[in-house]
Amino acid sequence: MMNAAFHISHAGIRRMAGACLPLFLVFLAVCGGMRAAGASWEVRGYDVEMRVSRNAGVSVTERISVFFSEYSHGLYRTIPTALRMKRIVNGREKEYLYRLRVEDVRVQGSGFSCQRQQDEGRSLLIRAGNPDRLQKGDAEYVLSYTVQMPDDLVEEYDEFRY
């Protein structure tokens, strides 16, 4: 099985698929080293490694470094499980809705729970941390999961976006 690796780090982007780049740049601009207004936490580092397999599965590992200025149980991470895209096929624009399966969720060195969001099942919420323990200061979370992409539904060509 052939794998391709994509890597993003807080320090710079080494290689990234074109469709993901704007979303990650927005995330880094908003969260990378800046504190949200009124928030008691600050993302100080965000590093992602993605491995894409031939069957359109994406193995993702995220390292998130956070500073908590007040006591916290951990962080929330929302992962999209639906993707709506418009494409031009045979000269016509058509909209596609793809349902993504998120599997094998793990959070290294931390308790966690997962639940489907109340947004028509379009995202999965991971709560990383320990509900019985508060922490303050620096913390690092290593989340890993696999996203199984569906068939792209286009007969003329194959396309992969995440």
Side-chain angles (χ1 to χ4, degrees), residues 15-160:
R15 183 175 171 202
M16 190 62 203
C20 297
L21 187 57
L23 179 62
F24 279 106
L25 290 177
V26 168
F27 177 84
L28 291 175
V30 171
C31 298
M34 294 191 305
R35 180 176 296 178
S40 60
W41 53 270
E42 177 182 347
V43 175
R44 293 197 170 164
Y46 182 72
D47 187 74
V48 178
E49 181 176 291
M50 302 169 74
R51 296 197 178 275
V52 181
S53 66
R54 281 182 179 247
N55 67 354
V58 182
S59 297
V60 181
T61 301
E62 300 181 20
R63 291 188 190 309
I64 305 170
S65 299
V66 182
F67 177 78
F68 294 105
S69 59
E70 296 177 10
Y71 284 101
S72 175
H73 289 285
L75 62 83
Y76 290 168
R77 173 67 173 98
T78 302
I79 301 171
T81 57
L83 180 62
R84 188 175 301 275
M85 290 192 314
K86 291 182 182 179
R87 293 202 176 110
I88 297 177
V89 178
N90 292 331
R92 292 187 167 153
E93 184 176 87
K94 186 172 180 180
E95 186 172 88
Y96 294 89
L97 175 65
Y98 299 102
R99 297 288 182 182
L100 314 175
R101 282 193 335 262
V102 179
E103 305 169 332
D104 303 321
V105 176
R106 286 169 281 181
V107 179
Q108 184 179 340
S110 175
F112 71 96
S113 66
C114 296
Q115 76 179 54
R116 298 262 172 230
Q117 292 285 71
Q118 298 294 319
D119 58 1
E120 300 175 18
R122 292 192 179 144
S123 63
L124 176 72
L125 175 67
I126 300 173
R127 290 183 173 123
N130 188 332
D132 300 324
R133 192 179 85 222
L134 290 168
Q135 62 185 43
K136 187 175 179 181
D138 290 317
E140 182 170 280
Y141 298 90
V142 179
L143 288 71
S144 60
Y145 51 92
T146 302
V147 178
Q148 189 58 51
M149 307 298 284
D151 184 331
D152 63 14
L153 304 174
V154 178
E155 291 183 26
E156 289 77 17
Y157 57 87
D158 286 321
E159 183 174 271
F160 177 85

